[in-house]
Amino acid sequence: MNTQEVANQWAQLCREGKNIECVEALYHDTVTSKEMPGVPYGEVVSGKENVLAKSKEWLDTVIEFHSNDISEPVIAHNHFTSRMRFDVTFKDRGRQQMDEICVFEVKDGKIIHEQFFYTM
């Protein structure tokens, strides 16, 4: 898949709430994921299995997704970006609105790097 195809599939899976399936299908085995400083599971996580574990850990903190909005991806050669907005209730923090920019790098048809920008 090219970058546009990966980005389109990523957006569709995220819109459907299939975050785990997204990582399993689209992420490279050596993917690196970078979050903002201060997240409980670590700022930088490497390897597909560790990124899966991070995603599962985050999803386990969620009681309910009230809404989600994933923008159309914007492509620049082997990178794409998207805005993600969520209205979500967490087990330990209550209901929150989240707004973040996500940047991805694609290599050989798989996501090799992701980084998230948001205010905590």
Side-chain angles (χ1 to χ4, degrees):
M1 285 190 287
N2 64 32
T3 302
Q4 182 72 62
E5 292 166 331
V6 171
N8 291 344
Q9 190 171 359
W10 172 88
Q12 185 61 40
L13 289 169
C14 289
R15 287 179 184 129
E16 295 172 1
K18 297 180 177 177
N19 303 64
I20 300 304
E21 294 90 336
C22 182
V23 174
E24 291 171 339
L26 299 177
Y27 284 46
H28 194 276
D29 288 341
T30 62
V31 65
T32 300
S33 178
K34 185 171 182 183
E35 297 277 351
M36 298 300 291
V39 295
Y41 33 78
E43 183 179 334
V44 178
V45 176
S46 297
K48 186 174 182 175
E49 292 304 315
N50 292 327
V51 172
L52 273 169
K54 176 188 84 152
S55 297
K56 289 176 184 176
E57 183 178 334
W58 187 82
L59 287 169
D60 285 345
T61 68
V62 173
I63 294 173
E64 181 180 358
F65 283 98
H66 305 284
S67 67
N68 73 330
D69 178 42
I70 310 296
S71 73
E72 287 299 316
V74 176
I75 311 302
H77 187 58
N78 64 325
H79 290 84
F80 71 94
T81 187
S82 182
R83 180 181 185 186
M84 296 192 328
R85 291 185 286 180
F86 299 106
D87 180 4
V88 61
T89 299
F90 292 97
K91 293 175 184 174
D92 60 344
R93 298 180 291 200
R95 191 167 178 170
Q96 293 183 337
Q97 285 71 46
M98 300 176 64
D99 191 6
E100 60 188 290
I101 295 292
C102 316
V103 179
F104 300 88
E105 181 180 357
V106 176
K107 180 179 177 185
D108 300 326
K110 297 286 185 179
I111 294 171
I112 191 79
H113 180 76
E114 66 178 6
Q115 186 166 357
F116 303 100
F117 298 92
Y118 49 87
T119 300
M120 291 191 59

